[in-house]
Amino acid sequence: LTFPLLSVTLLVSFGSSMLYGYNLAVVNSPAEHIKAFYNATWSQRYGHGLGPGPLTLLYALTVSIFALGGLVGSLLVGVLVEQYGRKGALSRSALLVLLAGGFMGFSRELESPEMVIIGRSITGLHSGGCCLGCAQPFPHGSVPYSRSQRDGEGFIFPTGSNLRGFLGLMPTIFICLGVFSAQVLGLPELLGKDRFWPLFLSLVVVPASLQLLLLHCFPESPRYLLIERNDVCGATKALHRFLGTPDVQDVIEEMKEEQRSLSSMEMVSVWQLLRDHSVRWQTLSVVVVNAGMQLSGIDAIWFYTNTIFENAGIPASEIPYTTMGTGAIEVIAGLIGCLTIERVGRRPLIIIGFCAMGVCSAGITASLLLQAALPWMRYISVACVVGIIAGFCMGPAGVPFLMTAELFTQSHRPAAYIVGGSLNWLCNFTIGFIFPFLQMSAGAFCYLVFCGVCLLAALYVYLIIPETKNKTFMEISHIFA
């Protein structure tokens, strides 16, 4: 990787994936302060406070509306990229974050809970379009390899390359870093106090502003310029910057060949993908691993970590630091997955990850039921939460996105990503919204739901999905058949 290509990869990941992770965890620490603000505002408007049920409903909406915004953003990203290019779409997404930060930052001064909810939905809109839409393909898909290195199935990296799995999971590392940064900033010594929560939520403007300023230092994606805009001159100049070499004619010719092949290729719609029997097992696999990833309970852990530790009996003064410790382990687990994926393979990582999450979810239930008789079981709860996070970051966090690209040809891949991405956001919203009520109604047994989902997903992967490491689409298709 040349320095310009590495720089734009880090910049885009910082302003998209890391921001996505930050927004997942930022509502955890100030939960009680936000609820108190909602209750006080409601009392001032209507002369009475909110009951526990309506207050929980309003806060659950605040948490989960992020995912609905993400769903809308993921569906609109194609229009944005087609209209403005990848760099232009990223810049406009960053402007949305500035708007969202303003809404959330001034919500308390204007006594408006609605501004918090609107701000959260706008940050979700950014994450849906930027993190999972136009950002991830931007650095990794900017420069193709020579024909001798490509596998002929549209993959960005060659079949035997160690970079394909490594860079495929790099966004996961930045998501973990975003979660960890929100946990650190949420400490009582920093922004965890009541008067600072609007500033805490609005800090999303910092990485967005940095991305907005620095994106102008980099050219547009060469592949986008040539294949989408037919701008050979612009693509050549961009390749000079990215590759650091004056001789880019071979790469230009390869992209022209790709342009010709894509122009003769009929792209499959979502409806056509769902009706195509030749890829039905691949489509079902995308559905299972993407839905399983979000229904595994990881979003409940990220959104409601402090509440989970409080119910487990951890002293209130220790909860912020315990939460921060889980975030540090999360980053380490993500690095382990990123560094080992090309050695171990996709399939073992995702199976081990789901199994670890399932066992640890059952462990939380057992520890909560036994903690009255055995006070030390509270620490087993913490260990199980750490196990869920570590298992997720080592496999299920990033492997489903990588496998989606490897299970389909270029004609089917965009529709497959729409299916997987839509399921991701819908399941994210579902867990974020219903978990507080599930916890109130089922108590310790609510984690058994996540246990069942994780173990069933692991069983499906073990029985159905082949290893995709170092395989072309045709090889994978034959294995499925």
Side-chain angles (χ1 to χ4, degrees):
L1 291 176
T2 61
F3 180 74
L5 190 57
L6 181 60
S7 299
V8 74
T9 299
L10 294 175
L11 174 64
V12 171
S13 296
F14 177 73
S16 55
S17 299
M18 190 169 176
L19 200 56
Y20 169 69
Y22 183 87
N23 282 310
L24 286 175
V26 72
V27 289
N28 175 51
S29 175
E32 295 305 317
H33 305 317
I34 296 174
K35 288 180 182 178
F37 165 66
Y38 285 177
N39 203 24
T41 305
W42 194 273
S43 179
Q44 186 174 352
R45 287 182 184 180
Y46 304 106
H48 61 85
L50 286 163
L55 183 59
T56 301
L57 177 66
L58 190 59
Y59 182 72
L61 179 63
T62 304
V63 170
S64 58
I65 197 71
F66 171 75
L68 281 187
L71 175 62
V72 175
S74 66
L75 296 176
L76 293 178
V77 66
V79 178
L80 281 174
V81 171
E82 184 179 353
Q83 184 71 25
Y84 302 108
R86 296 201 186 280
K87 195 171 91 167
L90 284 171
S91 299
R92 283 158 179 79
S93 295
L95 290 174
L96 283 178
V97 178
L98 302 184
L99 178 63
F103 271 105
M104 295 185 289
F106 292 103
S107 58
R108 186 163 60 184
E109 282 72 15
L110 299 176
E111 298 178 347
S112 174
E114 296 85 356
M115 291 178 68
V116 181
I117 297 173
I118 292 171
R120 285 283 294 170
S121 65
I122 294 175
T123 57
L125 194 67
H126 163 267
S127 291
C130 182
C131 178
L132 302 179
C134 56
Q136 289 198 35
F138 178 70
H140 307 151
S142 293
V143 184
Y145 279 70
S146 66
R147 190 178 303 117
S148 61
Q149 291 177 301
R150 289 173 68 93
D151 60 11
E153 296 299 335
F155 292 132
I156 297 168
F157 299 103
T159 303
S161 171
N162 290 330
L163 284 175
R164 194 167 87 191
F166 177 80
L167 288 184
L169 290 190
M170 183 176 283
T172 303
I173 302 299
F174 279 89
I175 292 173
C176 294
L177 287 171
V179 171
F180 181 61
S181 64
Q183 292 166 341
V184 172
L185 291 172
L187 292 175
E189 293 83 357
L190 298 176
L191 300 179
K193 297 182 177 66
D194 178 53
R195 67 178 184 274
F196 289 138
W197 69 260
L199 174 63
F200 188 25
L201 295 183
S202 63
L203 275 183
V204 293
V205 302
V206 175
S209 300
L210 185 63
Q211 187 183 72
L212 192 62
L213 290 172
L214 295 182
L215 267 177
H216 296 288
C217 301
F218 298 96
E220 177 61 271
S221 163
R223 293 182 73 254
Y224 171 80
L225 288 173
L226 194 145
I227 295 175
E228 301 292 335
R229 295 297 188 191
N230 203 27
D231 183 1
V232 179
C233 181
T236 303
K237 291 179 181 178
L239 282 170
H240 288 323
R241 287 282 308 277
F242 278 126
L243 296 179
T245 175
D247 185 14
V248 295
Q249 192 58 38
D250 289 343
V251 184
I252 290 291
E253 290 302 321
E254 182 191 349
M255 287 196 291
K256 286 182 177 179
E257 183 177 332
E258 184 180 355
Q259 183 187 38
R260 288 190 291 270
S261 65
L262 288 176
S263 63
S264 62
M265 181 186 299
E266 184 179 354
M267 304 305 288
V268 173
S269 67
V270 172
W271 179 241
Q272 289 172 322
L273 174 72
L274 296 176
R275 297 182 61 190
D276 191 342
H277 293 291
S278 66
V279 292
R280 59 186 173 185
W281 282 107
Q282 289 94 319
T283 305
L284 182 59
S285 298
V286 167
V287 170
V288 170
V289 295
N290 280 278
M293 177 173 63
Q294 297 296 343
L295 296 178
S296 64
I298 188 63
D299 290 313
I301 299 294
W302 277 333
F303 288 147
Y304 303 104
T305 310
N306 286 15
T307 303
I308 292 170
F309 285 154
E310 182 182 343
N311 292 336
I314 303 298
S317 59
E318 298 177 10
I319 288 177
Y321 308 98
T322 307
T323 301
M324 186 182 69
T326 63
I329 294 172
E330 180 180 343
V331 175
I332 295 171
L335 284 170
I336 292 173
C338 198
L339 295 172
T340 59
I341 185 169
E342 287 300 334
R343 289 173 176 253
V344 178
R346 287 83 162 121
R347 192 167 172 268
L349 278 182
I350 198 168
I351 291 173
I352 293 171
F354 273 129
C355 286
M357 295 177 74
V359 171
C360 290
S361 295
I364 293 179
T365 297
S367 62
L368 291 177
L369 293 175
L370 295 173
Q371 72 179 11
L374 303 170
W376 54 268
M377 291 298 290
R378 70 184 64 171
Y379 301 108
I380 301 298
S381 297
V382 175
C384 289
V385 169
V386 171
I388 290 173
I389 291 173
F392 179 78
C393 292
M394 287 181 64
V399 173
F401 297 109
L402 189 60
M403 290 181 70
T404 301
E406 295 176 334
L407 292 178
F408 295 92
T409 58
Q410 182 61 36
S411 60
H412 290 69
R413 198 169 293 139
Y417 268 114
I418 291 175
V419 171
S422 300
L423 276 172
N424 256 286
W425 288 113
L426 284 173
C427 294
N428 188 314
F429 171 78
T430 301
I431 294 300
F433 189 75
I434 71 169
F435 178 73
F437 302 99
L438 183 64
Q439 198 173 35
M440 286 191 295
S441 60
F445 295 100
C446 68
Y447 299 97
L448 293 181
V449 176
F450 304 138
C451 173
V453 170
C454 291
L455 296 181
L456 287 174
L459 181 64
Y460 179 89
V461 175
Y462 178 77
L463 295 176
I464 303 297
I465 301 181
E467 177 57 64
T468 58
K469 172 189 170 186
N470 292 340
K471 290 184 174 66
T472 66
F473 171 80
M474 294 307 299
E475 293 171 333
I476 295 170
S477 181
H478 285 313
I479 296 172
F480 269 111

